[in-house]
Amino acid sequence: MGADDGPISAEQVDIRLQPLNKSGAPADGAEGADEEIGDQIQLRVYKQRWIVLLTVALLNNTNTMSWIGYAPSGNYVNSFYGESSAAWLSMIYMLCTIPVGLFAMWAGREWGLRTAILIAGWTNGIGAVIRVISSLDFVPEDLRFPICMTGQGIAAIAYPFIMFLPTKVAGSWFPDTQRAIATTIGVMSNPLGVLMANLISPAIVKSPDHVIWLNIFTCVPSLAAMLIATFGVNRSEPKIPPTFSASKPQMDFVSGMKSCFSSKQYIILLIVMGGGIGMFNCLYTVMLELLCPSGYSNFFSGVCAALMIVGGVFGAAASGIFVDRTKLYEETLKIALGAAVIFGLIFLQLTLHQGLSVFLAITCLFFGVLGLATYPIGLELASECTFPVSEATSTGLIVLSGQIQSVIYVFIMKNFARPLQPDRMHIQVCQLTPDDTVNTPKDNTMSIMIFSLLATLLVLALVVLFKPVYKRLEAERGNRATADKAKELSNQNKDRITLQAESAVQPLQEK
């Protein structure tokens, strides 16, 4: 460009000019656009999420097998470890859950997901090894039960840490399109453990001397889960979060507890979901006592329990996939729980009559399909209603509520039962011998009426009062809208250059 050239005007330059203010910052709305672009959070999902989820599922499964494994072979276990030992080896889990549960929720929030997984993995594995030691030949008979109880108590400490892990893993590692199915996989490994224990324990233990094989069977996968937890899970959260909600800081434990109990919708969910968990556990626990007075065998009681669990696994998987795609959490929960209660009430009424095996099996299957389908959905809704409260707190409280209500419902079923009428004694198959005073058959009519009334009230409370706000989903949708807007503004401005306002038109000075 030579000295003879005339002044350069803005019209001659084929660019779009953007003036700056005196401080050098973009004028008008340009600054806001840049801020929005700069504020965007990078999101990413990692394949490692499946290893973390597998670890949690394996911990849940093996710990549950350790809990339930002694009950199906209780007579042989009692002969090996001592009178009533099978009942105490199961009861220790209930006794540990409530006091340890509050600490586990605090630790999961303050120490992180990996620490919770390590605590669960090592206590579960160490407890399994001690149980094996208790059944070795060199251990004196009078020390078998104390040693086994010690191992079972250590393993029981793992359960409160495991109970909140599925939703915590789903929220921290999985995108919003996979959260419900991830929670389902983690949660449903628990009833699968119950099913495996009830099928495998009687098959392994044919005499008191076979108890050691049951202990070895539960020990091997427990040690595998411990090793995977130690070497496979190397961090609590991914470097880059999978969702906007996962990138947000969560409340501390005390603030989270206050937030949960100040939310009306969460309190409704706490009572209803806790009641659902409690009723399911209660029915599984007293299944034999419900059926044997009407002439149904132990084998048929086991079939009904298995149908509940198998049906529940498929129902939960289907509901998890469905709500991941549709986000219809509230609608799915209300419809599934309402239908589950209907089938549950029909099942309870049928237990009072003999000769209805086919109908009992069908209603039991549908009760499991619909009832357990609500479990992962309810836990996900707890996270939605209380965001940004830690999933360890919101879901842990619901599981604790379920454990407490389980005890209440079992108490109701047992204490409101009446002696069986004399004209029905020839039908019952509860007593092993005519002189058996331990296994006394009961008339469960009053217990069933109270149980049915409570179940109906819980469903009505859910349908009428529960109106959740999806806080976590709304935060993520808002972030997506901001990201889309910023991207659009970025595309509009990508071909622009910025010049100082006073130099937009500058004549060349002749020398």
Side-chain angles (χ1 to χ4, degrees):
M1 187 175 293
D4 296 337
D5 295 330
I8 301 175
S9 66
E11 288 78 3
Q12 290 176 293
V13 184
D14 190 20
I15 58 174
R16 300 177 65 182
L17 300 178
Q18 181 178 319
L20 302 178
N21 56 30
K22 293 183 178 180
S23 64
D28 300 325
E31 180 179 9
D34 288 343
E35 285 182 354
E36 287 180 346
I37 295 169
D39 288 341
Q40 295 312 302
I41 299 172
Q42 185 181 4
L43 304 178
R44 180 181 173 185
V45 292
Y46 295 83
K47 292 181 179 179
Q48 188 185 1
R49 69 189 187 278
W50 297 109
I51 297 177
V52 179
L53 182 61
L54 173 64
T55 304
V56 171
L58 191 56
L59 283 172
N60 208 348
N61 182 269
T62 56
N63 192 256
T64 303
M65 281 197 294
S66 300
W67 174 14
I68 303 296
Y70 293 112
S73 305
N75 49 353
Y76 298 120
V77 172
N78 291 337
S79 298
F80 187 81
Y81 284 119
E83 185 179 356
S84 301
S85 58
W88 280 108
L89 289 170
S90 297
M91 185 66 69
I92 188 66
Y93 268 73
M94 292 289 186
L95 296 177
C96 286
T97 297
I98 296 173
V100 179
L102 293 174
F103 171 75
M105 286 189 290
W106 173 85
R109 170 63 187 87
E110 300 298 325
W111 295 347
L113 177 66
R114 183 172 186 263
T115 301
I117 290 176
L118 287 175
I119 293 174
W122 278 86
T123 52
N124 191 44
I126 292 172
V129 172
I130 295 175
R131 290 197 304 267
V132 172
I133 294 173
S134 73
S135 54
L136 296 176
D137 292 337
F138 66 82
V139 177
E141 289 188 14
D142 58 336
L143 294 180
R144 286 176 179 173
F145 179 68
I147 294 175
C148 185
M149 194 67 169
T150 300
Q152 191 77 336
I154 293 173
I157 294 174
Y159 181 71
F161 285 91
I162 294 170
M163 66 185 183
F164 66 78
L165 288 178
T167 52
K168 184 69 175 175
V169 171
S172 300
W173 284 88
F174 284 79
D176 61 343
T177 55
Q178 296 177 348
R179 276 197 302 243
I181 193 62
T183 299
T184 300
I185 293 171
V187 166
M188 295 313 297
S189 57
N190 182 289
L192 274 177
V194 175
L195 177 63
M196 293 171 65
N198 278 273
L199 294 177
I200 296 172
S201 177
I204 292 177
V205 183
K206 302 293 185 180
S207 73
D209 294 336
H210 294 167
V211 170
I212 186 174
W213 298 112
L214 175 62
N215 288 337
I216 293 174
F217 173 79
T218 57
C219 180
V220 172
S222 297
L223 290 177
M226 182 182 74
L227 293 175
I228 295 174
T230 303
F231 300 105
V233 182
N234 52 24
R235 57 187 306 118
S236 294
E237 299 172 349
K239 293 181 180 179
I240 301 174
T243 60
F244 171 73
S245 61
S247 70
K248 302 295 288 183
Q250 295 181 324
M251 295 183 182
D252 59 47
F253 179 68
V254 175
S255 299
M257 291 280 284
K258 291 179 180 179
S259 180
C260 286
F261 286 107
S262 63
S263 169
K264 175 184 174 183
Q265 300 305 315
Y266 178 78
I267 292 174
I268 295 171
L269 198 63
L270 180 72
I271 296 171
V272 174
M273 283 303 301
I277 295 170
M279 289 182 174
F280 192 90
N281 290 343
C282 173
L283 286 181
Y284 179 80
T285 302
V286 302
M287 182 73 73
L288 179 61
E289 297 173 35
L290 287 172
L291 292 171
C292 70
S294 296
Y296 299 103
S297 66
N298 292 17
F299 174 77
F300 181 72
S301 298
V303 169
C304 287
L307 287 173
M308 284 174 57
I309 295 170
V310 172
V313 170
F314 285 102
S319 67
I321 295 171
F322 177 75
V323 297
D324 265 337
R325 294 180 177 178
T326 65
K327 308 304 180 189
L328 298 175
Y329 292 97
E330 177 189 354
E331 296 83 354
T332 306
L333 178 65
K334 290 181 176 180
I335 292 172
L337 190 59
V341 166
I342 291 173
F343 281 104
L345 299 185
I346 294 173
F347 170 78
L348 289 172
Q349 290 300 317
L350 292 177
T351 62
L352 300 174
H353 306 278
Q354 60 178 334
L356 300 175
S357 300
V358 174
F359 297 102
L360 281 166
I362 293 173
T363 55
C364 207
L365 175 64
F366 280 102
F367 173 71
V369 170
L370 295 163
L372 280 180
T374 65
Y375 190 21
I377 299 174
L379 296 183
E380 281 295 300
L381 270 173
S383 299
E384 291 290 342
C385 291
T386 58
F387 179 79
V389 175
S390 171
E391 294 90 349
T393 303
S394 59
T395 61
L397 287 172
I398 286 180
V399 177
L400 278 181
S401 174
Q403 294 294 322
I404 294 171
Q405 293 192 58
S406 296
V407 176
I408 294 172
Y409 293 128
V410 170
F411 176 84
I412 290 173
M413 294 298 291
K414 289 183 175 292
N415 286 272
F416 284 90
R418 298 290 181 264
L420 192 65
Q421 298 90 330
D423 60 339
R424 292 178 59 86
M425 288 298 292
H426 69 285
I427 301 173
Q428 64 86 23
V429 293
C430 303
Q431 293 176 308
L432 300 179
T433 65
D435 299 329
D436 188 356
T437 58
V438 177
N439 302 297
T440 306
K442 299 288 186 179
D443 177 9
N444 297 296
T445 304
M446 182 61 68
S447 301
I448 288 174
M449 289 178 61
I450 297 173
F451 191 94
S452 301
L453 177 62
L454 292 174
T456 303
L457 290 176
L458 286 176
V459 171
L460 288 176
L462 180 73
V463 173
V464 176
L465 301 177
F466 187 58
K467 308 290 182 184
V469 176
Y470 301 160
K471 296 180 180 179
R472 186 170 62 178
L473 282 176
E474 286 185 355
E476 290 167 352
R477 287 167 181 166
N479 183 67
R480 288 196 195 98
T482 302
D484 292 342
K485 181 179 178 181
K487 184 177 180 180
E488 181 182 353
L489 291 172
S490 177
N491 289 336
Q492 290 176 358
N493 295 327
K494 66 181 180 180
D495 294 328
R496 299 181 181 183
I497 63 171
T498 302
L499 300 176
Q500 292 290 343
E502 59 270 18
S503 64
V505 178
Q506 284 287 341
L508 296 177
Q509 301 294 324
E510 294 183 5
K511 295 182 180 179

